[in-house]
Amino acid sequence: MTRTESWPKARGARFNPATRFDRLRREAVDDGWAPDEDEPPAPPTILHVDATRSIITRNNSPDIPFDRSVNPYRGCGHGCVYCFARPSHAYLELSPGLDFETQLFVKPEAPRLLEAELRKPGYRAAVLAIGTNTDPYQPIERDHRIMRGCLDVLAAFNHPVSITTKGVLITRDIDLLAPMAAKGLVLAAISVTTLDARLHGLLEPRASSPARRLDTIRRLSQAGIPTMVMAAPMIPRVNDHELEHILEAAKAAGATAAAYTLLRLPREVKDLFADWLEAHFPDRKAHVLSLVADQRGGMLNESRFGARFSGTGEHAALLSQRFRVALTKLGLNGARLSLDASRFRVPPRAGDQLSLF
């Protein structure tokens, strides 16, 4: 692995850990010959075209409330150090560290591929989840508008969609989302990790501020778009004390439902997060990792269905109890909105022969 001597500006990771697929491992060693240098510049963002031939990903996981999803991008410019999706970059022969947030892949053909899949004779509509791996409203969406193109397709087909994001750019698409919401086709979930601006800058250096995310909840709600808050991830001794405050602020902004998840540290993420703790909270690093392991059966990650999101142990049980009490107190404990798949229709294309029935 190689690590910069000081933290790259506006990046969550500061090194590229080796992946489980690497046959060779490298480690930087200071031999004393390198000249003194100023703080290293921020690594540039490099874009690649992802030439995928299909766009809908299927899953049969028993603890996930959807069976299909779309990800317009691979990698994420938000740079959240805790992101559980980081290990997916290893399949691209890239590191889950700095590569994940600087080597980004765009899928310009996503809208066309999505339309083609929805037009297949055997397709049956159900809620399509977007934002389950990387954020569809990360900064590069402003220029590439791939998420916007996918929404155009879903609106034309009256297809239900749930969107998870921490990007305020979602408000750009209110003109599409509001009419879809009026038909029961949309649920927006806005992730709020912390209300502390300083902590936010350390955890999520290129994501929108907590205040702007709360404003996003407000604007979506005012437009009639059902909006829930995702207090995620909850990190022991870092932000878990904020759980109730996050829910209160989101409720005041107009959220009608809430959820939370515990920190997950799969594969290479555990090394990145431990390094982050060493840099920013060295005095509590051991305690934080001990509490993470306590709620993961003695390990830093638990991949078993049913336990990977909620955790086990005393700390996880207490957090769950606090969450339930807060939901009842704030009136956020209603069931998640059930989206309407019955409206799905394949729109005719120019030149298509219309049905007589």
Side-chain angles (χ1 to χ4, degrees):
M1 66 180 67
T2 58
R3 180 185 279 104
T4 59
E5 288 303 312
S6 58
W7 205 273
K9 294 179 180 178
R11 294 298 179 187
R14 62 173 179 170
F15 71 106
N16 273 327
T19 76
R20 56 198 180 280
F21 303 119
D22 288 347
R23 288 178 293 180
L24 299 176
R25 292 181 180 269
R26 299 177 300 277
E27 185 171 350
V29 177
D30 183 4
D31 59 6
W33 283 93
D36 293 335
E37 297 179 353
D38 295 330
E39 181 179 348
T45 297
I46 300 173
L47 300 184
H48 309 271
V49 174
D50 187 322
T52 184
R53 296 183 179 181
S54 62
I55 196 63
I56 297 180
T57 300
R58 304 278 180 166
N59 82 85
N60 57 3
S61 303
D63 56 353
I64 294 180
F66 58 86
D67 67 354
R68 66 201 69 183
S69 61
V70 163
N71 288 288
Y73 304 100
R74 292 190 184 189
C76 186
H78 280 151
C80 305
V81 70
Y82 54 74
C83 182
F84 68 85
R86 284 180 176 271
S88 64
H89 240 44
Y91 294 103
L92 304 174
E93 298 184 354
L94 293 168
S95 173
L98 280 169
D99 284 350
F100 178 79
E101 49 194 283
T102 60
Q103 302 276 349
L104 308 182
F105 291 74
V106 300
K107 301 179 182 180
E109 293 297 305
R112 181 187 65 81
L113 293 170
L114 178 59
E115 178 172 354
E117 294 202 39
L118 299 187
R119 287 188 179 277
K120 290 180 179 178
Y123 183 81
R124 297 293 179 266
V127 176
L128 182 72
I130 304 183
T132 57
N133 194 50
T134 56
D135 201 315
Y137 286 108
Q138 60 179 283
I140 57 175
E141 165 65 15
R142 190 175 303 278
D143 295 325
H144 291 270
R145 300 173 67 89
I146 298 173
M147 178 61 178
R148 174 77 183 194
C150 290
L151 284 179
D152 279 327
V153 172
L154 295 172
F157 281 75
N158 283 331
H159 196 293
V161 59
S162 67
I163 303 168
T164 302
T165 183
K166 53 174 61 89
V168 300
L169 191 57
I170 188 176
T171 58
R172 176 202 65 188
D173 294 336
I174 285 178
D175 62 316
L176 286 175
L177 296 172
M180 293 178 72
K183 299 177 182 179
L185 298 176
V186 174
L187 172 64
I190 306 301
S191 172
V192 180
T193 311
T194 178
L195 300 179
D196 183 332
R198 179 181 176 276
L199 179 59
H200 150 74
L202 300 177
L203 275 171
E204 311 161 322
R206 292 199 169 195
S208 54
S209 69
R212 294 189 68 196
R213 287 187 227 178
L214 292 174
D215 184 61
T216 296
I217 292 175
R218 184 175 297 106
R219 292 179 63 184
L220 293 172
S221 299
Q222 289 174 347
I225 300 163
T227 307
M228 69 182 298
V229 60
M230 295 286 294
M234 288 289 99
I235 308 170
R237 292 282 288 124
V238 174
N239 72 334
D240 61 344
H241 62 284
E242 294 189 70
L243 176 61
E244 290 86 353
H245 299 301
I246 292 171
L247 299 182
E248 290 168 1
K251 170 67 175 181
T256 56
Y260 81 98
T261 60
L262 297 176
L263 174 70
R264 295 173 58 196
L265 296 176
R267 297 188 181 274
E268 299 89 351
V269 181
K270 65 181 184 300
D271 298 324
L272 292 167
F273 188 71
D275 186 66
W276 181 88
L277 286 172
E278 181 64 33
H280 298 295
F281 299 101
D283 57 325
R284 68 179 85 164
K285 174 184 175 181
H287 187 40
V288 171
L289 294 178
S290 174
L291 289 173
V292 171
D294 179 66
Q295 61 193 21
R296 297 296 185 189
M299 302 175 291
L300 290 180
N301 186 53
E302 169 61 273
S303 59
R304 286 185 301 118
F305 294 137
R308 54 182 177 163
F309 297 122
S310 57
T312 57
E314 183 178 345
H315 185 271
L318 178 59
L319 193 66
S320 176
Q321 181 181 21
R322 287 171 51 199
F323 179 73
R324 292 195 303 271
V325 170
L327 288 192
T328 301
K329 177 183 176 181
L330 297 171
L332 286 170
N333 54 348
R336 295 187 186 185
L337 180 72
S338 177
L339 301 181
D340 187 359
S342 68
R343 293 178 178 268
F344 176 77
R345 296 291 184 276
V346 177
R349 291 173 293 196
D352 282 356
Q353 181 174 352
L354 300 181
S355 171
L356 296 177
F357 304 99

